[in-house]
Amino acid sequence: DAKGRHVTPGFIDEHSHIGLRGGVNEGAQASSAEVRMSDAVDPWNINIYRQLAGGVTSAQLLHGSANPIGGQSALIKLKWGNSASEMLIKDADGFIKFALGENVKRSNSRNNKGRFPLTRMGVEQSYVDAFTRAQEYELEWSEFFQYYDGLKKKEKDLAVPPRKNLELDALVQIMNERRFISCHSYQQSEINMLMHV
């Protein structure tokens, strides 16, 4: 009996770090496209229960903004008491976290030396370098499959494929519109740069 009550749609949190165990940044390198937030979901994090109580029904769990190319997102339906794999939305499009600006170039860090990039110019070059490597990787696999298809059965057993690279696999998915970007930005010029790249 819902008399005198209200029914509203649930909230979808498009940019969340809720329930991720062990931090949300793999910031040692400019691209960490190989890491997956789905591997770090903590289904017993009390904040999932609290978000449900506040009306949040679904969330995109994003990598942090420590590097230009972060990890692969996890799209979840909040279900208190279920396992992490049960919360993952099946057959959801793949997403990945990109970031621009102050966090990426560590403007506010006491120790801003070490990892490239340190400037907006360097951030742009990080993207160009990463996608150039991904194009070369995709071409290498394409050429291997063309070669492999022309082999006899016995020769196929001896064929050695290119080395698998999970980072570049994710970037190739982006190039082929099978993974989509969620990007954290500070300035209009930055987002224009990323669209240009």
Side-chain angles (χ1 to χ4, degrees):
D1 180 7
K3 186 176 180 182
R5 297 174 186 255
H6 301 277
V7 177
T8 64
F11 294 108
I12 298 172
D13 187 348
E14 192 279 330
H15 183 142
S16 184
H17 305 297
I18 184 176
L20 290 172
R21 113 179 85 227
V24 297
N25 280 303
E26 179 56 55
Q29 58 196 33
S31 173
S32 57
E34 68 275 17
V35 302
R36 302 178 311 178
M37 299 302 100
S38 58
D39 294 331
V41 175
D42 177 5
W44 298 108
N45 185 301
I46 193 64
N47 289 313
I48 292 173
Y49 181 86
R50 292 174 180 149
Q51 293 295 315
L52 277 166
V56 177
T57 60
S58 306
Q60 178 178 204
L61 305 184
L62 293 166
H63 188 274
S65 297
N67 38 9
I69 301 175
Q72 300 169 36
S73 305
L75 298 171
I76 65 168
K77 177 101 170 129
L78 279 67
K79 300 175 184 177
W80 185 250
N82 286 31
S83 70
S85 61
E86 290 171 320
M87 286 196 293
L88 293 173
I89 298 173
K90 303 223 181 322
D91 300 322
D93 286 333
F95 283 80
I96 191 167
K97 172 69 178 294
F98 278 21
L100 303 165
E102 310 313 313
N103 295 13
V104 176
K105 61 191 195 74
R106 293 174 307 290
S107 299
N108 302 315
S109 172
R110 290 187 183 145
N111 179 17
N112 65 356
K113 302 287 185 253
R115 176 178 61 74
F116 176 84
L118 294 175
T119 65
R120 283 185 168 84
M121 295 176 297
V123 171
E124 179 176 5
Q125 193 59 47
S126 294
Y127 288 117
V128 170
D129 290 348
F131 282 108
T132 299
R133 289 186 297 118
Q135 286 175 321
E136 292 167 353
Y137 176 74
E138 183 179 35
L139 180 61
E140 185 179 11
W141 273 98
S142 175
E143 288 173 348
F144 170 76
F145 284 125
Q146 287 176 357
Y147 158 77
Y148 186 81
D149 288 343
L151 296 177
K152 295 180 177 143
K153 184 169 178 7
K154 221 174 200 182
E155 294 170 325
K156 287 183 177 182
D157 294 338
L158 301 173
V160 179
R163 182 175 179 223
K164 187 88 168 142
N165 186 315
L166 297 177
E167 174 201 3
L168 297 179
D169 281 341
L171 298 179
V172 168
Q173 290 171 355
I174 294 167
M175 294 186 316
N176 293 319
E177 298 181 2
R178 292 192 332 264
R179 181 167 302 281
F180 303 96
I181 298 168
S182 291
C183 188
H184 176 153
S185 177
Y186 286 86
Q187 295 181 4
Q188 180 183 358
S189 61
E190 293 174 327
I191 204 73
N192 286 337
M193 170 277 294
L194 184 59
M195 289 188 295
H196 175 74
V197 170

